[in-house]
Amino acid sequence: MLDEELLAGADVPGMRPVQQQRSRELVVRLMNEGLTLLQDHDFDSLSVEALCARCEATVGSFYGRFESKEAFIDTLQRLVVADARRYLDAIYASDAVPDDSLPHLLAWICKGGVRWYRDHEGLIRACLRRATHDRRTWTPLREAGRLHVAYALPHIVALLPPEPGTALEERITFAFQMLFGTLNNMVLIDPGPVSLRQPAAARTLAAAMHQLIVLRM
Amino acid sequence: MLDEELLAGADVPGMRPVQQQRSRELVVRLMNEGLTLLQDHDFDSLSVEALCARCEATVGSFYGRFESKEAFIDTLQRLVVADARRYLDAIYASDAVPDDSLPHLLAWICKGGVRWYRDHEGLIRACLRRATHDRRTWTPLREAGRLHVAYALPHIVALLPPEPGTALEERITFAFQMLFGTLNNMVLIDPGPVSLRQPAAARTLAAAMHQLIVLRM
DNA sequence: TTATAATTAGAATGATAATTCTAATTATAG
DNA sequence: CTATAATTAGAATTATCATTCTAATTATAA
């Protein structure tokens, strides 16, 4: 759920800055209703008219705020990433991060990851469908993934015997690439055998991460 | 590259069966030009008019054959899966499958997989964008993945010490889930560190598969 | 309080593309 | 060879939505 606090820090091109309280509320409403609609729609089929109707607003007010539907979507994506960043900042600053064993740490990471994916399934699917393969174009998914790895990696490294060179870091980064790849694929086509909504999902993924990171002797 | 042979075996709802040679040729042309266009477009932005222009055909002839654009896309997807099946049938029936060691076999599997993804990148991206999460809806990606696992699994099992129950099979199937997830994600958002076009891609994936399948003692 | 900027409303416009229609033209079975 | 079914052409039709416009209405700073 996005809130006005996030909006305050946001300066997104394509959105005219809000000045009045009623506008601030409208933007927050548009964002949250947008997220709801994305549970059944992708960005293309998300109609501005339908969105405004749900918010009891009109297309006029929509375009008074956003340069285009495109700009609205960009804003929404950026706010969700800001929300994720706020969450990661808070949780990694707390003492919630397990530091007693690698399996515990990985279980905790995967559990959090799976929960985030479950909570943002609609948006994630829409972003995946819209994403260009081109690495120069920004997408919230790359950014959120990058963030997540940046936070987690030092904690993982700290629980393992040091290795010369960057081999360990490379293995960890690639393990995350496989993790997010698998999660994204669950959201998009859910190929099985493991599904996002299965209780065992996080556990299975954590075990896989462990296999990928710790070298066999 | 799709050909008339594939078309012969196909009976797709939404496509009126071809009777004359010129029609057969047109359908093959539409399919292959469609595949070409998908390198830069997804299914939505693939316009029937543009497609027909490239094939030196007209929209009239297009709709004479296909009930709708939807039906055309379905047909295209089914033909590509038929093509993949034909390829897998042939290669697994030959003596090309390594049976001397698991690393060799996995390297061979991943190399083939990466090549298929490179050759079909446009179509795969388009399918991923279109796919519904709903498992009841058919998508070529689930089907092709399922096929691939069905062919590969017995060969992998044969190279490992037997285990009681289905644990080994489950590990293998899940390793494939991660493999295809990672590949799909490369096609969609290419998050790095490893990319589909890097020479090391297949090797890295094969190493990961090995880690996932063989249990640490 | 009042001038001014911000906001709202919702009908009107425009653009894009899928789809249909009808009259030729062409292939093929008997 | 010829009747009939298949195919082609491309203009015309629809449908869907994003976007714009203009006249109220409302908030806010001085």
Side-chain angles (χ1 to χ4, degrees):
Chain A
M1 196 65 163
L2 306 173
D3 53 44
E4 297 188 15
E5 185 192 329
L6 283 168
L7 201 55
D11 174 30
V12 198
M15 176 176 105
R16 216 152 41 67
V18 283
Q19 314 211 352
Q20 301 184 5
Q21 184 55 26
R22 56 179 174 173
S23 311
R24 220 182 317 278
E25 281 160 12
L26 175 55
V27 172
V28 170
R29 223 163 349 120
L30 282 169
M31 294 294 155
N32 284 313
E33 287 297 332
L35 283 178
T36 306
L37 278 175
L38 285 179
Q39 278 160 26
D40 312 299
H41 290 88
D42 50 25
F43 289 130
D44 280 344
S45 70
L46 172 64
S47 111
V48 174
E49 246 177 71
L51 173 63
C52 291
R54 282 185 73 110
C55 296
E56 306 189 50
T58 57
V59 289
S61 51
F62 178 93
Y63 281 98
R65 181 63 50 206
F66 298 100
E67 207 165 77
S68 62
K69 180 178 163 180
E70 191 83 358
F72 169 77
I73 288 165
D74 284 349
T75 308
L76 180 55
Q77 293 185 337
R78 278 173 203 283
L79 288 188
V80 169
V81 170
D83 186 45
R85 186 191 305 269
R86 187 174 59 170
Y87 169 76
L88 286 172
D89 274 343
I91 195 89
Y92 273 92
S94 78
D95 55 2
V97 192
D99 57 2
D100 56 334
S101 80
L102 186 60
H104 280 169
L105 176 58
L106 291 174
W108 179 81
I109 289 173
C110 290
K111 216 168 131 191
V114 166
R115 187 174 40 238
W116 197 76
Y117 267 75
R118 284 182 186 154
D119 291 346
H120 294 83
E121 195 175 353
L123 178 85
I124 291 169
R125 183 164 29 240
C127 290
L128 285 169
R129 294 228 174 107
R130 184 174 117 107
T132 40
H133 167 269
D134 183 0
R135 274 206 191 162
R136 285 163 308 185
T137 351
W138 183 86
T139 151
L141 295 165
R142 261 198 296 269
E143 174 92 3
R146 207 187 47 69
L147 261 181
H148 211 129
V149 176
Y151 274 104
L153 193 130
H155 291 266
I156 297 173
V157 170
L159 286 174
L160 282 165
E163 290 179 31
T166 56
L168 176 58
E169 281 78 4
E170 279 166 26
R171 253 182 2 260
I172 297 173
T173 329
F174 182 64
F176 272 102
Q177 179 174 359
M178 292 199 79
L179 172 67
F180 291 128
T182 308
L183 285 168
N184 286 340
N185 210 40
M186 285 174 178
V187 167
L188 269 186
I189 62 176
D190 193 20
V194 178
S195 289
L196 190 58
R197 305 281 167 182
Q198 279 171 13
R203 198 172 344 117
T204 311
L205 287 166
M209 291 289 279
H210 194 265
Q211 294 273 108
L212 288 172
I213 290 172
V214 180
L215 274 189
R216 197 177 323 290
M217 25 245 85
Chain B
M1 197 65 165
L2 306 173
D3 53 43
E4 298 188 15
E5 185 192 329
L6 283 168
L7 200 56
D11 174 30
V12 197
M15 176 176 105
R16 217 151 41 69
V18 284
Q19 313 213 355
Q20 301 185 5
Q21 184 55 26
R22 55 180 176 172
S23 313
R24 220 182 317 278
E25 280 160 13
L26 175 56
V27 172
V28 171
R29 225 165 344 123
L30 283 169
M31 294 294 154
N32 283 312
E33 288 297 331
L35 283 179
T36 305
L37 279 174
L38 286 179
Q39 277 159 26
D40 311 298
H41 290 88
D42 50 25
F43 289 129
D44 280 344
S45 70
L46 171 65
S47 112
V48 174
E49 244 177 74
L51 174 64
C52 290
R54 280 183 74 110
C55 296
E56 306 189 50
T58 57
V59 290
S61 51
F62 179 93
Y63 281 97
R65 181 63 51 205
F66 298 100
E67 207 166 78
S68 63
K69 179 178 163 182
E70 191 82 359
F72 169 75
I73 288 166
D74 283 349
T75 308
L76 180 54
Q77 293 185 336
R78 278 173 202 281
L79 288 188
V80 169
V81 170
D83 186 45
R85 185 191 305 266
R86 188 174 58 172
Y87 169 76
L88 286 172
D89 274 344
I91 195 87
Y92 273 92
S94 78
D95 55 2
V97 193
D99 57 2
D100 56 334
S101 80
L102 185 61
H104 280 169
L105 175 58
L106 291 173
W108 179 82
I109 290 172
C110 291
K111 216 167 131 190
V114 166
R115 187 174 39 239
W116 197 76
Y117 267 75
R118 285 183 185 152
D119 290 346
H120 295 82
E121 197 175 352
L123 177 85
I124 291 169
R125 185 173 311 122
C127 290
L128 284 168
R129 294 230 174 106
R130 185 173 116 105
T132 37
H133 168 269
D134 184 0
R135 273 205 191 163
R136 283 162 310 183
T137 353
W138 183 86
T139 151
L141 295 165
R142 260 197 297 267
E143 174 92 3
R146 208 188 45 70
L147 260 181
H148 211 129
V149 175
Y151 275 105
L153 193 130
H155 291 265
I156 297 175
V157 169
L159 286 174
L160 282 165
E163 291 179 30
T166 56
L168 176 59
E169 280 78 5
E170 279 165 27
R171 252 181 4 260
I172 297 173
T173 329
F174 183 63
F176 272 102
Q177 180 175 1
M178 292 199 80
L179 172 67
F180 291 128
T182 308
L183 285 168
N184 286 340
N185 210 39
M186 286 175 178
V187 167
L188 268 187
I189 61 176
D190 193 21
V194 178
S195 290
L196 190 59
R197 304 282 167 181
Q198 279 172 13
R203 199 174 340 118
T204 311
L205 287 165
M209 291 289 282
H210 193 267
Q211 293 272 107
L212 289 171
I213 291 172
V214 180
L215 273 192
R216 196 177 325 291
M217 28 245 81

